[in-house]
Amino acid sequence: MQTRISILGSTGSIGTQALDIARRLGPERVDVVGLGAQANADLLIEQAIEFAPEVVCIGEAGHYEKVKSALECRGISVLCGASGFDELATCPQADRIVISVAGTPGLSPTLSAIESGKSVALASKEVMVAAGHLVMDAARRKNITILPIDSEHSAIFQCLNGEDKRSIEKIYLTASGGAFRDKTKSELAGVTAAQALAHPTWKMGKKVTIDSATMMNKGLEIIEAKWLFGVGGDQIQVVIHPTSIVHSMVRFCDGSIIAQLGLPDMRLPIQYSLLYPERVDAQLPRLDLLEAGPLVFEEVDLDKFECLSLAIEAARVGGTLAVVLNAADEVAVRLFLDGKIGFLDIAKVIGRTMENHTSSPDPSLEEICAVDAEARVAALTYAQRSI
Ligand code: MN3
């Protein structure tokens, strides 16, 4: 079977790995018909020349002329900006849309893709965190499957193949523990962005690597799992699993636990989402169980990782509080990467922003965008006050 895909966010970590899978399998299996990137015009042009899609989109208007002059002569249509991403998400040639743009800009194209009847391979967890109820409602209405790319959620999705979701008793979300698993809280106060960016097992983008070090990543994943699998936040337990071999587990109502295992290589969940329900051999490296070492699971220290506590709170309250959590986190991580605030200040900034927000349930897309923008301003204000 052939899947015709459009990748929104093709120059990022997930996007380039998705193209690696397309390259390995060839156009008879994965045909790339659309590509979109926010700002990396040079790589977008290079990708478009290699994969010859029908249409590309560049987010930043300043790069439009450059991309257009490089690609239009090759018969490739060139779009621009947020409306261009929406068009790319609904282009008639594609039957599956990969959403791997950073953060909430993925929201509108995700909903557009579902409304136009396309299946969605979703890497941007922020989309589910901010608008999981809207995405799942639309998917149900259109009878569309959301195929998670996040490795834990891909694992859970695979564990649930052929199972009734109502029989889920508990989801074990595994966490590597990030770069600072063994540091004490007082040691965490002085860590730098460079130290936080050295992730022990996964190779990922900067934002998610910092989120992994604060464990906010796992918190966002709790909210993502809550929506994707229709469970309560209290049914999801985070367990530290330093080697990232077990990608997550489901315990069913009879007490049986099913786990999915593999090497920590994002290409495997990406490939699964591109080809689902098929499995094929893309010559990816194999996990050797005899070399994997002992599978260790440990309890997470919520006092040390305050971001995770904040996310658990947002998962419990729901509504716009999750939007605020996500927006404030993006601002705080940016400030930390720029050396403007300390590592422990990330949780402080997010906590303050959440405290000053009154959550409203089931927000519309407009409300989500408004709350998101307000929370960014508020987070920046709190951060500047504490510097
Ligand atoms: Mn993950």
Side-chain angles (χ1 to χ4, degrees):
M1 217 178 80
Q2 185 199 42
T3 317
R4 293 170 305 162
I5 62 164
S6 262
I7 306 177
L8 279 68
S10 64
T11 57
S13 169
I14 298 292
T16 51
Q17 294 182 81
L19 287 173
D20 181 50
I21 294 295
R23 192 181 290 119
R24 281 162 181 265
L25 295 175
E28 55 291 340
R29 298 306 299 244
V30 178
D31 188 18
V32 180
V33 299
L35 292 170
Q38 188 55 35
N40 193 342
D42 292 331
L43 183 54
L44 179 65
I45 292 167
E46 197 183 299
Q47 292 174 337
I49 290 170
E50 181 184 351
F51 289 93
E54 314 262 342
V55 54
V56 304
C57 177
I58 180 79
E60 280 181 15
H63 298 301
Y64 176 66
E65 284 306 326
K66 181 182 187 178
V67 177
K68 194 174 153 183
S69 65
L71 299 179
E72 264 195 351
C73 55
R74 296 173 178 263
I76 300 171
S77 313
V78 180
L79 305 168
C80 178
S83 62
F85 273 110
D86 273 328
E87 210 178 311
L88 190 60
T90 56
C91 76
Q93 296 91 344
D95 40 47
R96 191 160 294 178
I97 310 295
V98 179
I99 306 281
S100 52
V101 286
T104 34
L107 188 47
S108 171
T110 301
L111 292 170
S112 302
I114 298 169
E115 290 300 340
S116 64
K118 299 181 192 307
S119 58
V120 169
L122 185 65
S124 312
K125 63 193 72 174
E126 295 87 351
V127 168
M128 294 307 282
V129 171
H133 62 297
L134 296 180
V135 173
M136 295 314 282
D137 277 355
R140 221 167 288 134
R141 224 176 346 95
K142 290 285 181 177
N143 199 19
I144 294 290
T145 309
I146 305 292
L147 300 155
I149 289 182
D150 208 345
S151 62
E152 296 79 2
H153 303 76
S154 174
I156 297 161
F157 188 88
Q158 293 179 59
C159 293
L160 289 174
N161 250 340
E163 301 285 351
D164 185 337
K165 280 183 187 171
R166 287 169 300 185
S167 63
I168 302 173
E169 187 174 77
K170 190 173 195 166
I171 287 174
Y172 291 101
L173 208 55
T174 55
S176 68
F180 304 138
R181 186 169 53 90
D182 298 322
K183 288 212 186 312
T184 62
K185 194 162 179 183
S186 56
E187 286 172 334
L188 285 179
V191 299
T192 63
Q195 287 172 303
L197 287 173
H199 192 279
T201 49
W202 292 100
K203 189 175 138 282
M204 307 173 290
K206 276 186 184 177
K207 160 76 167 44
V208 55
T209 306
I210 301 301
D211 279 346
S212 178
T214 62
M215 292 207 67
M216 176 57 91
N217 183 50
K218 216 43 61 178
L220 298 175
E221 288 179 356
I222 290 176
I223 303 174
E224 186 185 9
K226 187 182 105 162
W227 289 117
L228 280 171
F229 307 114
V231 296
D234 55 349
Q235 285 174 281
I236 303 169
Q237 184 181 348
V238 173
V239 290
I240 303 285
H241 172 50
T243 48
S244 306
I245 298 294
V246 176
H247 295 147
S248 275
M249 296 171 268
V250 177
R251 191 173 79 200
F252 293 91
C253 59
D254 60 356
S256 183
I257 296 178
I258 297 183
Q260 187 263 342
L261 286 70
L263 288 172
D265 183 337
M266 281 309 295
R267 291 174 301 178
L268 192 51
I270 291 168
Q271 182 189 319
Y272 189 77
S273 78
L274 296 183
L275 298 180
Y276 175 82
E278 278 190 289
R279 289 187 189 271
V280 300
D281 181 6
Q283 304 289 313
L284 292 179
R286 263 53 175 169
L287 168 67
D288 182 342
L289 267 184
L290 299 179
E291 284 179 6
L295 298 179
V296 174
F297 301 98
E298 294 161 9
E299 199 174 359
V300 57
D301 182 349
L302 285 178
D303 179 54
K304 194 163 87 178
F305 296 106
E306 279 175 70
C307 283
L308 183 54
S309 301
L310 293 169
I312 290 170
E313 170 71 2
R316 191 184 60 76
V317 175
T320 50
L321 194 62
V323 179
V324 171
L325 172 91
N326 179 60
D329 178 55
E330 277 185 32
V331 170
V333 168
R334 182 75 261 158
L335 291 169
F336 173 69
L337 283 170
D338 292 343
K340 302 267 170 58
I341 63 172
F343 186 76
L344 295 178
D345 296 330
I346 298 174
K348 275 187 208 148
V349 169
I350 302 165
R352 279 293 299 281
T353 316
M354 285 170 69
E355 268 165 36
N356 287 286
H357 177 74
T358 310
S359 189
S360 74
D362 300 320
S364 66
L365 186 57
E366 293 69 35
E367 259 181 282
I368 290 168
C369 294
V371 168
D372 180 275
E374 277 167 33
R376 281 167 203 272
V377 175
L380 201 57
T381 311
Y382 299 137
Q384 278 161 348
R385 261 183 225 158
S386 65
I387 289 168

